[in-house]
Amino acid sequence: MHGRRFDRILTGTAIALILSLASLHPVHAQITQDQAAIEAKVPLPESADLPPPTIADIAAPETTGTTNALNLPEPPDLPPPSFKEATPGAPAAAPPAVTAAAAVSPAPAPVVVSVDQPVMDALRGLISTRLSRTIERKAERTAVEAFYSSHDYAPIWFGINGPTERARQAMAHLRNADADGMDPADYPLPNVAAAATPAALAEAELRLTESVLDYARQATMGRVHYSRVSGDIFYEQVAPQPLDVLSKLASGKDAEEVLESYQPQHAAYKALRKKLADIRRKGGNEAAAQIARGPMLELAVDKRSKQTTLMQDERVPALRQKLGLSAVAGDSFYDQPLAEAVAAFQKDKGLKATGQLTNATVDALNGKRHDRDDQLIIANMERWRWVPRDLGKAHVVLNIPDYTLQVYNHGASIWKTRVVVGKPGTHATPLLSETMKYITVNPTWNVPPSIVYNEYLPALQQDPTVLKRMGLNLVQNKDGSVHISQPPGEANALGRVRFNFPNKFLVYQHDTPDKHLFAQSKRAFSHGCMRVQDPNKYAEVMTGLGMPGRSYTADQIRGMYGHSEIDLRFTTPIPVHITYQTAFVDEQGNLQTREDIYGRDASLLALLKSDHRQAEVPVARAQPGYSRPSVRLPTGYGYSESYSSGPSFFDRLFGNPTPPQPPAPVQRRAQRTTTR
């Protein structure tokens, strides 16, 4: 195009010169006029009001696919000719070589723009200006901002084309949260229109992010914080890190599997989850499996003829089903196999094994029914979320409502015994997880302050000889406080063995001289500590786990009985978990329910139905008090002084840590403390 303009300019200039010369030279005027007349007939391009030529008009044209006025290829973009003077006699300089690379300039690298860039831009703006409106918790807001900024604000749930496959997986899992006893309404899902704007997609991205973070946190720690249920519950809990949750969801192949991993993985929890699904599928409470109360059923044996008369009752088919016996068509007789099964059940539950179907046995078979079995299961599943995820390769589980203690190793129960637990009210056994560090043979019972000041001192005011008759020693310190203890021996309230797992509630497990209590079906009689039916066998099992290669048999433990405390210190501490399972699945796969002796279920279920954001916030609870105020003893009562020069109360309770012991047990004087 520049060439055409230049040609027109040259043509117009030539005509102007010819006309001017004609006017200056008369001799050639006629010739010039004639020539002008001829040239006037030559067609010329239309004149144009063009600016004077610039360097751009002279520059070489670009090498494109266009052609010039003669329809010829435009000349290549070559460097301007050199005006350097040639050396005389020297050959002419060869023109510079032109390569394909020099002829065509390289094109700049293309800029790759994500198809989701509009959503990314909207997400960036939303996070930088309005994040607090969507993400309520400060720690989670910080994690969300760090995660998305480190990923250049690329969405993981909603792109420009709508929800991703990962989003569909996550939303499907949240919709099914009730399978784990959780409320899907607590984890709202975004509703995105088919042609949503980038701003709406960014908003949906953050909404789903908040829901999955809420789910992961509550699946790990519970929807209700345990402190809101009672002050005698304490578990060490570790909340999932929000940044870690988002990273796992973004990198995982299946978002459902990632979210499921935050639920408890305990076998007991999974069994309850399966039973919850079974009950819902069957339509409720499995009422047909309930045994009605009624007249006692037994095998009536005539003393003279020794003949057995079978009693007939319409409850027999349901009783067979409950006990796992084969059904007999049309048979409603209470026969020998059924009576033996009833006796076995009674023995397992601590009832008198008579084989008679009493109403007490019926209640034990049915368990204390809640309004709905599924609600009872949900409450127990929630409590499992409080318990540490890692129970320990070897560990102890004590179930308060079942009055039992079981020792597990590698996931299998290796020993089980009965226990006596705390009385309802202020003496309830606390829920906790700690580690058993040693066993004490021939323990001293150092009476806890609550018993000293609430029970023994009032009795002492009525009868100054009562403590001596009970074999208790009273010592009054210089500050006027009182300490009461009982030396080791057969009559010691702790029996012959104490199992120590130091904790904030100052409770432990121990032997007892009151063996008759283990025959009771309801065994809530203590001040909070847990009495073990067979402590010598328990010590054998625990030293085998906690002192590998140096364990003791039950007979060896029994041979240590005496009047001096002996500590058996573990080289491998064993976790102890005190739980409250009013519903659990037994070895046969049957749902077992127990009486809610401390009223924990009703409180928890009410909290689960309240605002979950408030329910999961811990509350401050008054801690147990161990103060020993000054008291005035009855006139004439003799006592010793300066007990306070010994170890502190907590040290006397659980003992001072000592260096690793030699293989032989450590013996020492009766001085250590215990409680309840």
Side-chain angles (χ1 to χ4, degrees):
M1 189 67 188
H2 296 299
R4 296 178 183 177
R5 295 171 59 190
F6 190 64
D7 290 342
R8 293 177 179 177
I9 293 171
L10 291 179
T11 303
T13 303
I15 294 174
L17 289 174
I18 293 172
L19 294 176
S20 63
L21 289 175
S23 63
L24 293 175
H25 301 280
V27 178
H28 302 286
Q30 186 65 39
I31 297 174
T32 302
Q33 292 176 358
D34 295 339
Q35 184 67 27
I38 295 173
E39 291 180 351
K41 296 181 180 181
V42 178
L44 295 176
E46 287 185 15
S47 61
D49 187 11
L50 301 175
T54 64
I55 188 64
D57 298 317
I58 305 174
E62 297 178 355
T63 56
T64 63
T66 60
T67 58
N68 56 19
L70 298 179
N71 201 26
L72 296 176
E74 294 283 304
D77 187 11
L78 300 177
S82 175
F83 293 96
K84 184 177 180 181
E85 192 172 3
T87 304
V98 179
T99 63
V104 181
S105 300
V111 178
V112 178
V113 179
S114 172
V115 67
D116 294 326
Q117 190 63 46
V119 181
M120 296 164 64
D121 293 339
L123 193 57
R124 182 195 305 271
L126 192 58
I127 290 175
S128 62
T129 60
R130 293 189 296 152
L131 185 59
S132 60
R133 299 183 184 180
T134 307
I135 308 298
E136 180 178 347
R137 293 171 172 257
K138 182 178 179 180
E140 294 180 354
R141 288 200 302 269
T142 302
V144 167
E145 185 173 6
F147 174 81
Y148 281 103
S149 63
S150 65
H151 290 73
D152 198 24
Y153 298 92
I156 59 177
W157 310 119
F158 293 92
I160 196 66
N161 296 319
T164 63
E165 179 61 26
R166 183 180 286 107
R168 295 186 182 93
Q169 295 168 353
M171 290 191 292
H173 189 81
L174 296 181
R175 289 191 191 98
N176 196 38
D178 60 345
D180 285 280
M182 304 174 80
D183 187 355
D186 291 340
Y187 318 104
L189 304 178
N191 186 13
V192 181
T197 64
L201 293 169
E203 181 79 19
E205 175 81 13
L206 292 184
R207 292 294 180 189
L208 184 53
T209 293
E210 182 186 39
S211 290
V212 297
L213 289 177
D214 285 347
Y215 178 91
R217 183 184 66 255
Q218 294 177 3
T220 301
M221 303 177 65
R223 297 162 59 199
V224 173
H225 193 270
Y226 57 76
S227 63
R228 291 189 169 270
V229 177
S230 175
D232 55 8
I233 306 174
F234 181 78
Y235 292 105
E236 291 283 357
Q237 293 187 311
V238 180
Q241 294 300 314
L243 187 58
D244 182 60
V245 174
L246 293 177
S247 298
K248 287 182 178 179
L249 287 166
S251 60
K253 294 182 179 179
D254 192 332
E256 286 198 77
E257 290 183 1
V258 175
L259 293 174
E260 174 62 27
S261 68
Y262 290 101
Q263 293 288 353
Q265 302 300 309
H266 310 128
Y269 176 88
K270 292 183 176 181
L272 284 176
R273 188 181 192 273
K274 183 177 183 301
K275 185 59 64 175
L276 178 63
D278 291 343
I279 289 177
R280 287 172 172 173
R281 184 169 55 253
K282 293 177 181 178
N285 289 323
E286 297 179 308
Q290 295 298 290
I291 311 300
R293 280 172 157 254
M296 183 183 69
L297 300 181
E298 62 177 346
L299 294 175
V301 181
D302 186 89
K303 294 182 179 180
R304 294 183 178 181
S305 63
K306 304 298 181 183
Q307 292 184 346
T308 301
T309 302
L310 300 181
M311 300 180 68
Q312 192 174 16
D313 194 284
E314 61 182 6
R315 296 173 294 171
V316 166
L319 181 61
R320 290 182 182 277
Q321 178 184 357
K322 193 76 172 179
L323 294 172
L325 299 178
S326 300
V328 179
D331 184 8
S332 59
F333 289 98
Y334 191 79
D335 56 14
Q336 182 73 29
L338 188 53
E340 291 175 353
V342 169
F345 173 82
Q346 291 170 329
K347 182 179 180 181
D348 182 61
K349 300 305 174 187
L351 302 173
K352 191 175 181 179
T354 62
Q356 299 170 335
L357 185 67
T358 62
N359 282 334
T361 304
V362 170
D363 292 341
L365 280 165
N366 292 332
K368 182 175 177 60
R369 308 298 290 180
H370 204 273
D371 293 339
R372 290 175 59 88
D373 274 349
D374 61 348
Q375 295 300 302
L376 187 60
I377 292 174
I378 287 171
N380 282 271
M381 293 173 73
E382 176 71 4
R383 280 193 287 265
W384 272 112
R385 296 189 181 97
W386 301 343
V387 179
R389 287 298 190 265
D390 184 5
L391 299 179
K393 181 177 66 175
H395 62 273
V396 177
V397 175
L398 187 145
N399 183 6
I400 294 173
D402 193 43
Y403 309 107
T404 57
L405 177 153
Q406 293 193 71
V407 182
Y408 292 83
N409 194 22
H410 295 284
S413 175
I414 61 174
W415 189 71
K416 182 178 181 179
T417 191
R418 297 177 185 174
V419 295
V420 173
V421 299
K423 293 179 287 188
T426 58
H427 297 307
T429 296
L431 308 185
L432 55 87
S433 288
E434 285 294 349
T435 54
M436 187 179 296
K437 295 179 170 61
Y438 65 96
I439 297 172
T440 301
V441 184
N442 307 316
T444 296
W445 183 39
N446 290 279
V447 184
S450 60
I451 300 178
V452 170
Y453 287 89
N454 296 332
E455 299 180 27
Y456 285 177
L457 289 182
L460 188 64
Q461 297 292 336
Q462 300 294 325
D463 181 2
T465 66
V466 64
L467 297 184
K468 291 182 179 179
R469 289 190 288 104
M470 294 174 62
L472 299 174
N473 299 326
L474 182 148
V475 177
Q476 187 165 30
N477 301 315
K478 292 181 179 180
D479 62 0
S481 63
V482 172
H483 176 83
I484 298 177
S485 63
Q486 186 180 31
E490 293 181 0
N492 189 282
L494 305 183
R496 291 293 192 173
V497 188
R498 185 183 69 215
F499 303 87
N500 308 287
F501 41 96
N503 58 84
K504 65 183 296 183
F505 300 104
L506 306 183
V507 296
Y508 40 82
Q509 297 160 356
H510 62 87
D511 183 19
T512 178
D514 299 326
K515 302 292 186 183
H516 67 281
L517 295 177
F518 294 105
Q520 303 292 324
S521 58
K522 297 180 180 180
R523 298 186 289 274
F525 301 110
S526 80
H527 282 73
C529 287
M530 296 136 277
R531 306 172 189 175
V532 183
Q533 183 178 27
D534 191 350
N536 296 318
K537 182 63 177 179
Y538 187 28
E540 175 184 315
V541 174
M542 295 304 290
T543 57
L545 297 171
M547 305 172 63
R550 298 190 290 134
S551 59
Y552 297 88
T553 65
D555 290 338
Q556 289 174 321
I557 297 295
R558 196 174 292 107
M560 296 179 189
Y561 288 0
H563 297 282
S564 297
E565 290 189 346
I566 301 174
D567 283 349
L568 306 177
R569 295 188 175 275
F570 293 176
T571 56
T572 304
I574 307 299
V576 176
H577 308 284
I578 313 300
T579 65
Y580 195 85
Q581 304 174 53
T582 54
F584 59 92
V585 179
D586 62 19
E587 293 80 359
Q588 289 73 40
N590 298 318
L591 178 67
Q592 297 290 337
T593 59
R594 296 292 181 266
E595 181 182 359
D596 181 15
I597 59 175
Y598 295 163
R600 299 284 190 255
D601 288 338
S603 299
L604 181 55
L605 287 170
L607 287 165
L608 286 172
K609 296 175 182 178
S610 65
D611 180 7
H612 79 276
R613 295 187 182 277
Q614 184 68 24
E616 65 175 318
V617 178
V619 296
R621 293 278 187 173
Q623 297 301 312
Y626 306 112
S627 62
R628 294 174 175 269
S630 175
V631 298
R632 182 181 295 274
L633 297 177
T635 303
Y637 183 84
Y639 58 87
S640 302
E641 293 186 359
S642 301
Y643 190 89
S644 60
S645 61
S648 68
F649 175 71
F650 192 85
D651 288 338
R652 292 197 309 271
L653 181 62
F654 290 112
N656 290 302
T658 60
Q661 65 166 47
V666 176
Q667 297 191 19
R668 52 189 176 75
R669 292 184 177 275
Q671 176 181 325
R672 298 279 292 282
T673 56
T674 51
T675 186
R676 301 204 278 187

